[in-house]
Amino acid sequence: MAVSGYNKVSGAVSSITKKNKDYIVESIFLPGHESKEMVCQGIAYLPETVMDADQQGDGSYCKYVLLSYYPKNSDQPSQILVVDRASKKAVKRYALYKENGKPYTGHAGGIAVAGKYLWVASGGTIYGFDVQEIMDFIKDDKTKAKAVDGLPKSMDKLPGKDLTAVKTYSVDSKASFVSFDGKYIWVGDFTKGSNYKPVKHHKIMGRNNWIAGYLVDSDGYPTSSVEYTYKDGDDSETVHKPDAVIAMRESVQGMAVCGDYIALTVSYGATNSKLALYKNPLKTDSEKITYDPEGQHGRYSVDAWELADKKNWIETVTLPAGAEDLEYDGENLYVTFECSSKNYKTKWRLNPLVKITDDFYLFNPQAIVK
C-alpha cells in the first residue's frame, strides 16, 4: 500500500526507522570498513550447492552471504568476503583476478550467483568466477590467514584465496550493478545528470537509461551471441545484444526482481537512500522497441518494459546513505551500503539528517507493501 499523498519516487517517503521491525529480517555487521582501503559495493546469496540456474531462488535458507569490495587507494585486487549468517561473522576472503597474475581492480558494483558462476559487474563487462571453487574453499579448514599489505584488518585476518575469472562477457550496459532472477541476468547503468551521462541508445520510453537482460543456459552463462559496436564518447564498445531491457530512472545503484515486484536502490552521495518497489512489469506483455547503436549497424529490436511512478510504482522507504547492490533469494531481499566506510562516514555524519548504518540488511519485501 502506498504512502498517503505520495505518488513519486523522488518525493517524501516512509521512514525505515518507523517500520523496520516489520520488514528487516536480519541486520548483520558489514566488515572491512574500519579503514579506507576497501569499499563494499555488491551483495549476493550463496546457494547451498551448485545447481542449474533456473532452480535457484526458491526461498530456501542460504547460510552464506557474499560481499564485494573495490580497492579505494591501493593496488590490491577487488575482494569478495563470505559472511556466515548464523555467526554474523566473515569467514573467508577471495582476491579477484581477471587472469593469472592480472588483478581485477574494477568497481565490483554488483555481484550475483547464476548456476556455476558468480558474476561480478563493472565497466561494461561481467566476470564469471567458479562457484564450486568458492564453496570448496569455504569448507577448507586447513588454510590459515596470511598478512597482506593494503587490506583492512578485518579482511587481513581471514583465510584468503586468489580467484581467477573463468568467463567474461561484454554487455550493453555500464554494468554498474547486476542481479539474477532465475531466467535473466540483469545489468544496469548508473546515470546522474552531466556527471554520469547516459549512453545515447539506452534512452528509451522517456527514461535516461536501461537495465539490460540476458537469458542464460542451465550453467548460468548468457546465450545471446549477436554483437555490435557503438561509440560512447571517445570510446568504442563491442557488446552483446540484450534479450530484454527495462527502462528506469537515474541514480539507481541496484536492482532485483522479487516475485511480484521489482526493487531499486536509489542513492548518490551524502543523502539518505531510497528503496523503491514497483509492480513487476515482466508479468505483463512487453513493448517491442527498436534502437540504433549510434547508427553503425542498423536497427535492432528488443522486448522492453518500464518502471515508472505513474505506471507501476507501489512503495518507497528511506534507507541509510550509500545503498548499493540488491539481490533476492526467493524470500529475502539483500542490500548493502558504503556509508560505513571511513572514506565517507565521517564526512556524511556532519549532516545530522543523514542516516548511517554499519550493517547490511535482509528485507521481507512482502512486509514493505502491506
Side-chain angles (χ1 to χ4, degrees):
M1 182 175 66
V3 180
S4 176
Y6 175 87
N7 62 8
K8 288 187 177 182
V9 173
S10 56
V13 292
S14 56
S15 170
I16 197 170
T17 57
K18 181 179 179 181
K19 296 170 61 180
N20 61 6
K21 66 180 184 297
D22 296 325
Y23 55 78
I24 296 182
V25 177
E26 294 180 43
S27 180
I28 299 175
F29 180 74
L30 188 58
H33 277 171
E34 72 273 16
S35 52
K36 292 186 175 183
E37 293 93 342
M38 293 285 164
V39 182
C40 188
Q41 295 290 285
I43 190 167
Y45 66 90
L46 183 67
E48 293 301 301
T49 61
V50 176
M51 62 185 70
D52 286 352
D54 62 359
Q55 299 302 307
Q56 282 183 218
D58 63 358
S60 299
Y61 180 84
C62 296
K63 183 177 180 181
Y64 298 110
V65 178
L66 304 177
L67 300 169
S68 68
Y69 296 74
Y70 75 90
K72 185 67 177 177
N73 294 306
S74 79
D75 295 326
Q76 278 290 333
S78 301
Q79 304 283 320
I80 297 288
L81 294 193
V82 180
V83 176
D84 185 316
R85 286 173 62 184
S87 68
K88 298 183 182 292
K89 301 293 185 182
V91 294
K92 292 291 170 68
R93 175 186 62 80
Y94 304 85
L96 302 184
Y97 287 79
K98 291 183 178 181
E99 53 191 69
N100 289 334
K102 187 175 182 180
Y104 167 87
T105 57
H107 205 64
I111 58 175
V113 173
K116 294 181 178 180
Y117 306 107
L118 169 67
W119 293 104
V120 179
S122 64
T125 302
I126 52 175
Y127 298 83
F129 297 86
D130 188 339
V131 171
Q132 189 62 62
E133 189 175 357
I134 294 171
M135 292 178 173
D136 290 345
F137 188 61
I138 292 174
K139 298 173 184 176
D140 175 6
D141 58 3
K142 296 180 181 179
T143 302
K144 304 302 180 182
K146 295 181 180 179
V148 178
D149 291 338
L151 287 180
K153 289 182 179 180
S154 58
M155 291 189 183
D156 198 31
K157 69 182 182 180
L158 298 174
K161 177 181 176 60
D162 292 348
L163 201 61
T164 302
V166 294
K167 298 285 185 181
T168 59
Y169 189 85
S170 61
V171 293
D172 193 353
S173 164
K174 295 177 183 293
S176 306
F177 53 86
V178 64
S179 183
F180 179 60
D181 68 2
K183 183 178 180 180
Y184 292 96
I185 290 176
W186 296 102
V187 280
D189 298 349
F190 179 87
T191 62
K192 185 172 179 60
S194 59
N195 291 330
Y196 298 92
K197 295 180 180 179
V199 176
K200 185 177 179 180
H201 69 272
H202 294 184
K203 299 172 72 170
I204 60 167
M205 304 173 83
R207 297 288 169 176
N208 266 352
N209 51 355
W210 72 21
I211 312 168
Y214 291 88
L215 295 168
V216 301
D217 60 21
S218 61
D219 288 343
Y221 189 79
T223 57
S224 175
S225 59
V226 176
E227 293 182 288
Y228 48 70
T229 300
Y230 70 90
K231 295 197 71 173
D232 183 19
D234 295 330
D235 299 324
S236 291
E237 308 289 347
T238 299
V239 301
H240 289 89
K241 176 187 175 297
D243 297 297
V245 296
I246 300 173
M248 65 169 186
R249 55 160 294 155
E250 292 191 339
S251 301
V252 173
Q253 300 276 10
M255 170 266 194
V257 178
C258 311
D260 292 333
Y261 315 107
I262 288 182
L264 301 178
T265 45
V266 182
S267 171
Y268 184 72
T271 59
N272 292 327
S273 308
K274 301 182 181 75
L275 176 70
L277 287 176
Y278 301 80
K279 291 181 182 177
N280 185 352
L282 303 176
K283 298 192 173 203
T284 65
D285 291 338
S286 64
E287 181 178 333
K288 188 71 73 171
I289 68 165
T290 59
Y291 64 97
D292 191 351
E294 299 292 338
Q296 294 186 31
H297 291 277
R299 299 180 72 85
Y300 295 85
S301 64
V302 67
D303 291 325
W305 293 268
E306 181 185 12
L307 301 178
D309 292 346
K310 295 181 179 179
K311 194 171 185 178
N312 44 29
W313 172 81
I314 301 173
E315 174 71 288
T316 299
V317 294
T318 55
L319 296 179
E324 295 292 330
D325 194 29
L326 291 172
E327 193 58 296
Y328 181 67
D329 67 5
E331 181 175 357
N332 295 314
L333 180 63
Y334 298 59
V335 61
T336 193
F337 301 86
E338 66 181 13
C339 60
S340 62
S341 167
K342 289 286 189 181
N343 294 283
Y344 310 113
K345 188 174 185 178
T346 302
K347 293 182 294 184
W348 290 2
R349 271 190 165 162
L350 294 175
N351 182 345
L353 299 178
V354 173
K355 296 180 175 67
I356 301 293
T357 181
D358 293 318
D359 298 346
F360 65 85
Y361 299 151
L362 275 67
F363 290 121
N364 177 351
Q366 298 285 344
I368 294 175
V369 299
K370 277 184 179 179

